Amino acid sequence: MEKKSIEYVLPEEIEKRSFEIIAAELAERGITLPAEQDPVTRRVIHTSADFDYAETMTYSENAVEIAKNLIKNGADIVTDTNMALAGINKKVLASFGGEAHCYMADADVAAMAKERKTTRAAISMELASKLEKPVIFAVGNAPTALIQIYELMQERDWCPAFVIGVPVGFVNVEAAKELIMETDVPYIINRGRKGGSNVAAAICNALLYELKRIN
Amino acid sequence: MEKKSIEYVLPEEIEKRSFEIIAAELAERGITLPAEQDPVTRRVIHTSADFDYAETMTYSENAVEIAKNLIKNGADIVTDTNMALAGINKKVLASFGGEAHCYMADADVAAMAKERKTTRAAISMELASKLEKPVIFAVGNAPTALIQIYELMQERDWCPAFVIGVPVGFVNVEAAKELIMETDVPYIINRGRKGGSNVAAAICNALLYELKRIN
């Protein structure tokens, strides 16, 4: 077999070129993203190679600025999967004083979920709601996590600092996202079925990298 | 604000219903997946809510059977991201005697990559190629990992037991996948730009759950 080769692109060049390609293809499609949202939506497209996100990513008013300010002031991030936790740049987050958490694999979370006949994700959100500092909830998997956040907001005098709502799937996913959009919580949500732990992590990283770039 | 509620679906029911919806929509689109590949492609759609995968997932001959036999006989899985590692069901893998590894965050991998002006993913694949047991390479992020696997196959008398090749992106991603498809290695690859760590983990889990279901 004849050996083939691919033009070698330096690691640091790969990302730069990728974003240039995304920009060019967005332009071809006649899509102009609002300046504030642009780095976030582009990073989601970068992580999925899916331009549908340019049409479905939804931001509450000044969402990106609010989320960036939270991180700059040391907010924590709580995810609903260990995959999302693994994908978030925790070093950059720590440089602002924040920590990332995921309670999904904790033994007591599993036990409580079983006892209360609910999901571990719902229990995880409840635990996170008790953290005594501002928390960005980054939900990439379980619509039940978003539903739980909504229920907690109704039951108690509590509102999360921020919700990144990008669960993926076919059962209750769209409805759970709509619920959050009806509240006053600042959010970044991907309407529809699409999302994922990779998308949740990409949104967090886009915010972190914007802050790092400016600082 | 009037409190809304969403029909509560038991955790174990959510996945079942999701797969029923996927089956129905595949049928609507007139897509019949080959029986062997069906559980794998469906789980990829489940993790992405993206039916494009039904058209682009590509399998070498008997790929699913080969991969399942490898796992059944205790093969390890090496990923190119900690996200994919986090997503793989390591408990089920361990029940067959296998372990999952990711070398990306190792300090010596970063040092070697810098010294040799390549990516950490490429160095990780080289390290994995020295493991003295059958290894399934699960690449969800870095095309350079697939290129490195190809180069190692050309340079040495070495062939990986199996390649799951689903990096995502815009630079060299499609070409790297095509390279692997030209070799004799058994593979599951998603042609085109799409893929991701979540997709790599979903493919591994589909294989693991098929084996668990049968055993």
Side-chain angles (χ1 to χ4, degrees):
Chain A
M1 188 177 68
E2 193 200 348
K3 190 186 160 183
K4 299 207 175 178
S5 69
I6 292 183
E7 180 209 3
Y8 190 77
V9 184
L10 279 172
E12 54 271 29
E13 277 296 309
I14 293 174
E15 184 166 302
K16 189 166 163 265
R17 258 204 228 176
S18 299
F19 276 92
E20 285 164 5
I21 294 168
I22 294 166
E25 295 198 19
L26 284 170
E28 266 171 41
R29 287 161 202 250
I31 297 169
T32 311
L33 300 167
E36 191 203 47
Q37 302 167 11
D38 186 82
V40 180
T41 298
R42 281 195 200 188
R43 189 162 286 277
V44 169
I45 295 170
H46 176 255
T47 211
S48 61
D50 188 341
F51 283 87
D52 282 3
Y53 286 100
E55 315 274 4
T56 52
M57 286 286 288
T58 309
Y59 299 74
S60 64
E61 212 182 327
N62 300 322
V64 174
E65 202 190 325
I66 293 168
K68 276 160 59 179
N69 277 330
L70 283 164
I71 293 170
K72 209 156 64 178
N73 291 311
D76 281 3
I77 298 175
V78 173
T79 67
D80 69 329
T81 61
N82 277 299
M83 272 190 87
L85 182 68
I88 293 171
N89 192 321
K90 289 166 287 292
K91 212 164 148 181
V92 178
L93 181 62
S95 74
F96 296 105
E99 263 188 279
H101 314 269
C102 176
Y103 304 120
M104 292 296 286
D106 295 5
D108 52 344
V109 168
M112 282 167 77
K114 202 172 172 187
E115 190 191 311
R116 286 166 49 187
K117 288 197 174 57
T118 184
T119 62
R120 287 180 297 146
I123 300 289
S124 297
M125 296 302 114
E126 199 179 322
L127 289 178
S129 75
K130 292 171 185 164
L131 287 173
E132 284 178 354
K133 66 183 289 192
V135 171
I136 295 172
F137 288 74
V139 175
N141 185 57
T144 53
L146 291 185
I147 297 169
Q148 182 70 9
I149 290 169
Y150 178 83
E151 301 274 346
L152 290 170
M153 287 177 74
Q154 308 301 315
E155 287 162 20
R156 301 204 247 125
D157 184 24
W158 172 79
C159 183
F162 199 91
V163 172
I164 295 169
V166 291
V168 58
F170 300 88
V171 177
N172 282 349
V173 164
E174 293 175 85
K177 290 169 178 171
E178 299 291 333
L179 267 191
I180 295 294
M181 288 193 275
E182 284 173 18
T183 70
D184 295 327
V185 69
Y187 64 77
I188 299 175
I189 278 175
N190 186 59
R191 277 182 295 109
R193 289 169 164 181
K194 286 183 180 175
S197 297
N198 53 337
V199 173
I203 292 170
C204 294
N205 288 339
L207 299 166
L208 290 165
Y209 297 153
E210 279 301 292
L211 284 168
K212 202 183 155 199
R213 196 173 58 78
I214 296 159
N215 279 16
Chain B
M1 190 175 68
E2 194 200 349
K3 190 186 161 184
K4 300 208 176 177
S5 69
I6 292 182
E7 180 210 3
Y8 190 78
V9 184
L10 278 172
E12 55 271 29
E13 277 296 310
I14 294 175
E15 183 166 303
K16 189 166 163 266
R17 257 204 228 175
S18 299
F19 277 92
E20 285 164 5
I21 294 169
I22 294 167
E25 294 199 19
L26 284 170
E28 265 171 41
R29 288 160 202 251
I31 297 169
T32 311
L33 299 167
E36 191 203 46
Q37 301 167 11
D38 186 81
V40 180
T41 298
R42 281 195 200 187
R43 189 162 286 276
V44 169
I45 295 169
H46 177 256
T47 209
S48 61
D50 188 342
F51 283 87
D52 283 2
Y53 286 100
E55 315 274 3
T56 52
M57 286 287 288
T58 309
Y59 298 74
S60 63
E61 212 182 328
N62 300 321
V64 174
E65 203 189 326
I66 293 168
K68 277 159 60 179
N69 277 328
L70 282 164
I71 293 170
K72 209 158 63 178
N73 292 311
D76 281 2
I77 297 176
V78 173
T79 67
D80 69 330
T81 61
N82 277 299
M83 272 191 88
L85 182 69
I88 293 170
N89 192 320
K90 289 167 287 291
K91 212 164 148 180
V92 178
L93 180 62
S95 74
F96 296 106
E99 264 188 278
H101 314 269
C102 175
Y103 304 121
M104 292 295 286
D106 295 5
D108 52 346
V109 167
M112 282 168 76
K114 203 174 173 186
E115 190 190 313
R116 286 167 49 187
K117 289 197 173 57
T118 184
T119 62
R120 287 180 297 146
I123 301 288
S124 298
M125 295 302 114
E126 199 179 322
L127 289 178
S129 75
K130 291 171 186 164
L131 288 173
E132 283 177 354
K133 65 183 290 193
V135 171
I136 296 173
F137 288 73
V139 176
N141 185 57
T144 52
L146 291 185
I147 297 169
Q148 182 70 8
I149 290 168
Y150 178 82
E151 301 274 345
L152 290 170
M153 287 177 73
Q154 308 301 316
E155 286 162 20
R156 303 202 246 125
D157 184 25
W158 174 79
C159 183
F162 200 90
V163 172
I164 295 169
V166 292
V168 57
F170 300 87
V171 176
N172 283 348
V173 165
E174 293 175 85
K177 290 168 177 172
E178 299 291 335
L179 267 190
I180 296 294
M181 287 194 275
E182 284 173 17
T183 69
D184 295 327
V185 69
Y187 65 77
I188 299 175
I189 278 176
N190 186 59
R191 278 181 294 108
R193 289 170 164 182
K194 286 183 180 175
S197 297
N198 52 338
V199 173
I203 293 169
C204 294
N205 288 339
L207 298 167
L208 289 165
Y209 298 152
E210 279 301 293
L211 284 167
K212 203 183 154 199
R213 198 173 56 79
I214 295 159
N215 279 18

